[in-house]
PDB file of all heavy atoms in Angstrom:
ATOM      1  N   ASP A  91     -26.915  39.410  54.820  1.00 92.00           N
ATOM      2  CA  ASP A  91     -28.110  40.247  54.922  1.00 92.00           C
ATOM      3  C   ASP A  91     -29.358  39.427  55.209  1.00 92.00           C
ATOM      4  O   ASP A  91     -30.334  39.946  55.737  1.00 92.00           O
ATOM      5  CB  ASP A  91     -28.325  41.033  53.625  1.00 92.00           C
ATOM      6  CG  ASP A  91     -27.357  42.190  53.471  1.00 92.00           C
ATOM      7  OD1 ASP A  91     -26.551  42.435  54.398  1.00 92.00           O
ATOM      8  OD2 ASP A  91     -27.418  42.858  52.417  1.00 92.00           O
ATOM      9  N   HIS A  92     -29.347  38.165  54.857  1.00 88.00           N
ATOM     10  CA  HIS A  92     -30.513  37.288  55.039  1.00 88.00           C
ATOM     11  C   HIS A  92     -30.291  36.316  56.204  1.00 88.00           C
ATOM     12  O   HIS A  92     -30.898  35.265  56.265  1.00 88.00           O
ATOM     13  CB  HIS A  92     -30.767  36.521  53.732  1.00 88.00           C
ATOM     14  CG  HIS A  92     -32.087  35.850  53.656  1.00 88.00           C
ATOM     15  ND1 HIS A  92     -33.274  36.533  53.664  1.00 88.00           N
ATOM     16  CD2 HIS A  92     -32.416  34.542  53.565  1.00 88.00           C
ATOM     17  CE1 HIS A  92     -34.273  35.684  53.581  1.00 88.00           C
ATOM     18  NE2 HIS A  92     -33.781  34.472  53.522  1.00 88.00           N
ATOM     19  N   GLN A  93     -29.397  36.661  57.101  1.00 89.00           N
ATOM     20  CA  GLN A  93     -29.080  35.792  58.231  1.00 89.00           C
ATOM     21  C   GLN A  93     -29.225  36.546  59.542  1.00 89.00           C
ATOM     22  O   GLN A  93     -29.298  37.782  59.554  1.00 89.00           O
ATOM     23  CB  GLN A  93     -27.660  35.245  58.102  1.00 89.00           C
ATOM     24  CG  GLN A  93     -27.494  34.362  56.888  1.00 89.00           C
ATOM     25  CD  GLN A  93     -26.120  33.737  56.833  1.00 89.00           C
ATOM     26  OE1 GLN A  93     -25.134  34.365  57.187  1.00 89.00           O
ATOM     27  NE2 GLN A  93     -26.075  32.505  56.389  1.00 89.00           N
ATOM     28  N   PHE A  94     -29.233  35.791  60.636  1.00 86.00           N
ATOM     29  CA  PHE A  94     -29.412  36.396  61.950  1.00 86.00           C
ATOM     30  C   PHE A  94     -28.311  36.035  62.927  1.00 86.00           C
ATOM     31  O   PHE A  94     -28.339  36.451  64.066  1.00 86.00           O
ATOM     32  CB  PHE A  94     -30.781  36.002  62.522  1.00 86.00           C
ATOM     33  CG  PHE A  94     -31.893  36.477  61.653  1.00 86.00           C
ATOM     34  CD1 PHE A  94     -32.563  35.609  60.812  1.00 86.00           C
ATOM     35  CD2 PHE A  94     -32.249  37.817  61.624  1.00 86.00           C
ATOM     36  CE1 PHE A  94     -33.574  36.063  59.984  1.00 86.00           C
ATOM     37  CE2 PHE A  94     -33.248  38.278  60.799  1.00 86.00           C
ATOM     38  CZ  PHE A  94     -33.915  37.404  59.985  1.00 86.00           C
ATOM     39  N   VAL A  95     -27.334  35.284  62.470  1.00 90.00           N
ATOM     40  CA  VAL A  95     -26.225  34.882  63.332  1.00 90.00           C
ATOM     41  C   VAL A  95     -24.960  35.607  62.870  1.00 90.00           C
ATOM     42  O   VAL A  95     -24.610  35.566  61.693  1.00 90.00           O
ATOM     43  CB  VAL A  95     -26.014  33.350  63.281  1.00 90.00           C
ATOM     44  CG1 VAL A  95     -24.818  32.933  64.110  1.00 90.00           C
ATOM     45  CG2 VAL A  95     -27.271  32.627  63.741  1.00 90.00           C
ATOM     46  N   ASN A  96     -24.307  36.264  63.816  1.00 95.00           N
ATOM     47  CA  ASN A  96     -23.055  36.951  63.514  1.00 95.00           C
ATOM     48  C   ASN A  96     -21.903  35.961  63.462  1.00 95.00           C
ATOM     49  O   ASN A  96     -21.886  34.974  64.198  1.00 95.00           O
ATOM     50  CB  ASN A  96     -22.744  38.003  64.581  1.00 95.00           C
ATOM     51  CG  ASN A  96     -23.664  39.189  64.511  1.00 95.00           C
ATOM     52  OD1 ASN A  96     -24.258  39.473  63.480  1.00 95.00           O
ATOM     53  ND2 ASN A  96     -23.785  39.900  65.611  1.00 95.00           N
ATOM     54  N   GLU A  97     -20.947  36.246  62.604  1.00 97.00           N
ATOM     55  CA  GLU A  97     -19.706  35.479  62.542  1.00 97.00           C
ATOM     56  C   GLU A  97     -18.609  36.400  63.057  1.00 97.00           C
ATOM     57  O   GLU A  97     -18.263  37.388  62.416  1.00 97.00           O
ATOM     58  CB  GLU A  97     -19.432  35.032  61.107  1.00 97.00           C
ATOM     59  CG  GLU A  97     -18.237  34.132  60.992  1.00 97.00           C
ATOM     60  CD  GLU A  97     -18.093  33.541  59.609  1.00 97.00           C
ATOM     61  OE1 GLU A  97     -18.899  33.851  58.707  1.00 97.00           O
ATOM     62  OE2 GLU A  97     -17.156  32.746  59.440  1.00 97.00           O
ATOM     63  N   ARG A  98     -18.095  36.080  64.228  1.00 98.00           N
ATOM     64  CA  ARG A  98     -17.120  36.951  64.891  1.00 98.00           C
ATOM     65  C   ARG A  98     -15.691  36.481  64.631  1.00 98.00           C
ATOM     66  O   ARG A  98     -15.449  35.323  64.356  1.00 98.00           O
ATOM     67  CB  ARG A  98     -17.388  36.954  66.394  1.00 98.00           C
ATOM     68  CG  ARG A  98     -18.693  37.614  66.769  1.00 98.00           C
ATOM     69  CD  ARG A  98     -19.004  37.494  68.270  1.00 98.00           C
ATOM     70  NE  ARG A  98     -20.171  38.254  68.637  1.00 98.00           N
ATOM     71  CZ  ARG A  98     -21.419  37.831  68.487  1.00 98.00           C
ATOM     72  NH1 ARG A  98     -21.652  36.652  67.970  1.00 98.00           N
ATOM     73  NH2 ARG A  98     -22.436  38.591  68.851  1.00 98.00           N
ATOM     74  N   GLY A  99     -14.768  37.421  64.751  1.00 98.00           N
ATOM     75  CA  GLY A  99     -13.352  37.073  64.714  1.00 98.00           C
ATOM     76  C   GLY A  99     -12.766  36.842  63.341  1.00 98.00           C
ATOM     77  O   GLY A  99     -11.758  36.149  63.211  1.00 98.00           O
ATOM     78  N   ILE A 100     -13.354  37.416  62.309  1.00 98.00           N
ATOM     79  CA  ILE A 100     -12.766  37.277  60.970  1.00 98.00           C
ATOM     80  C   ILE A 100     -11.538  38.173  60.910  1.00 98.00           C
ATOM     81  O   ILE A 100     -11.605  39.373  61.122  1.00 98.00           O
ATOM     82  CB  ILE A 100     -13.782  37.655  59.868  1.00 98.00           C
ATOM     83  CG1 ILE A 100     -15.022  36.753  59.950  1.00 98.00           C
ATOM     84  CG2 ILE A 100     -13.130  37.591  58.483  1.00 98.00           C
ATOM     85  CD1 ILE A 100     -14.730  35.266  59.793  1.00 98.00           C
ATOM     86  N   ARG A 101     -10.417  37.548  60.642  1.00 98.00           N
ATOM     87  CA  ARG A 101      -9.124  38.244  60.647  1.00 98.00           C
ATOM     88  C   ARG A 101      -8.828  38.884  59.284  1.00 98.00           C
ATOM     89  O   ARG A 101      -9.279  38.391  58.258  1.00 98.00           O
ATOM     90  CB  ARG A 101      -8.006  37.254  60.980  1.00 98.00           C
ATOM     91  CG  ARG A 101      -8.180  36.527  62.291  1.00 98.00           C
ATOM     92  CD  ARG A 101      -7.056  35.509  62.514  1.00 98.00           C
ATOM     93  NE  ARG A 101      -6.794  34.657  61.362  1.00 98.00           N
ATOM     94  CZ  ARG A 101      -7.440  33.515  61.108  1.00 98.00           C
ATOM     95  NH1 ARG A 101      -8.396  33.083  61.907  1.00 98.00           N
ATOM     96  NH2 ARG A 101      -7.121  32.788  60.048  1.00 98.00           N
ATOM     97  N   PRO A 102      -8.041  39.942  59.279  1.00 97.00           N
ATOM     98  CA  PRO A 102      -7.667  40.571  58.002  1.00 97.00           C
ATOM     99  C   PRO A 102      -6.986  39.596  57.027  1.00 97.00           C
ATOM    100  O   PRO A 102      -7.167  39.713  55.810  1.00 97.00           O
ATOM    101  CB  PRO A 102      -6.716  41.697  58.418  1.00 97.00           C
ATOM    102  CG  PRO A 102      -7.153  42.054  59.801  1.00 97.00           C
ATOM    103  CD  PRO A 102      -7.576  40.735  60.419  1.00 97.00           C
ATOM    104  N   ASP A 103      -6.219  38.626  57.531  1.00 97.00           N
ATOM    105  CA  ASP A 103      -5.539  37.681  56.635  1.00 97.00           C
ATOM    106  C   ASP A 103      -6.512  36.726  55.949  1.00 97.00           C
ATOM    107  O   ASP A 103      -6.144  36.054  54.994  1.00 97.00           O
ATOM    108  CB  ASP A 103      -4.457  36.896  57.393  1.00 97.00           C
ATOM    109  CG  ASP A 103      -5.027  35.980  58.451  1.00 97.00           C
ATOM    110  OD1 ASP A 103      -5.487  36.490  59.494  1.00 97.00           O
ATOM    111  OD2 ASP A 103      -5.006  34.744  58.246  1.00 97.00           O
ATOM    112  N   GLN A 104      -7.751  36.645  56.399  1.00 97.00           N
ATOM    113  CA  GLN A 104      -8.752  35.794  55.758  1.00 97.00           C
ATOM    114  C   GLN A 104      -9.446  36.509  54.597  1.00 97.00           C
ATOM    115  O   GLN A 104     -10.082  35.869  53.770  1.00 97.00           O
ATOM    116  CB  GLN A 104      -9.817  35.371  56.783  1.00 97.00           C
ATOM    117  CG  GLN A 104      -9.304  34.433  57.855  1.00 97.00           C
ATOM    118  CD  GLN A 104     -10.380  34.140  58.873  1.00 97.00           C
ATOM    119  OE1 GLN A 104     -10.555  34.879  59.833  1.00 97.00           O
ATOM    120  NE2 GLN A 104     -11.112  33.065  58.649  1.00 97.00           N
ATOM    121  N   ILE A 105      -9.314  37.817  54.540  1.00 97.00           N
ATOM    122  CA  ILE A 105     -10.034  38.608  53.547  1.00 97.00           C
ATOM    123  C   ILE A 105      -9.251  38.639  52.234  1.00 97.00           C
ATOM    124  O   ILE A 105      -8.089  39.028  52.196  1.00 97.00           O
ATOM    125  CB  ILE A 105     -10.318  40.019  54.090  1.00 97.00           C
ATOM    126  CG1 ILE A 105     -11.249  39.891  55.291  1.00 97.00           C
ATOM    127  CG2 ILE A 105     -10.914  40.909  53.002  1.00 97.00           C
ATOM    128  CD1 ILE A 105     -11.478  41.139  56.061  1.00 97.00           C
ATOM    129  N   ILE A 106      -9.908  38.199  51.183  1.00 97.00           N
ATOM    130  CA  ILE A 106      -9.298  38.105  49.862  1.00 97.00           C
ATOM    131  C   ILE A 106      -9.503  39.401  49.087  1.00 97.00           C
ATOM    132  O   ILE A 106      -8.607  39.899  48.420  1.00 97.00           O
ATOM    133  CB  ILE A 106      -9.905  36.916  49.087  1.00 97.00           C
ATOM    134  CG1 ILE A 106      -9.643  35.613  49.853  1.00 97.00           C
ATOM    135  CG2 ILE A 106      -9.374  36.860  47.660  1.00 97.00           C
ATOM    136  CD1 ILE A 106     -10.498  34.454  49.401  1.00 97.00           C
TER     137      ILE A 106
END
Side-chain angles (χ1 to χ4, degrees):
D91 285 357
H92 194 64
Q93 296 185 323
F94 299 103
V95 177
N96 289 337
E97 185 172 2
R98 293 175 174 82
I100 301 301
R101 303 177 312 273
D103 66 287
Q104 292 176 274
I105 296 172
I106 300 164

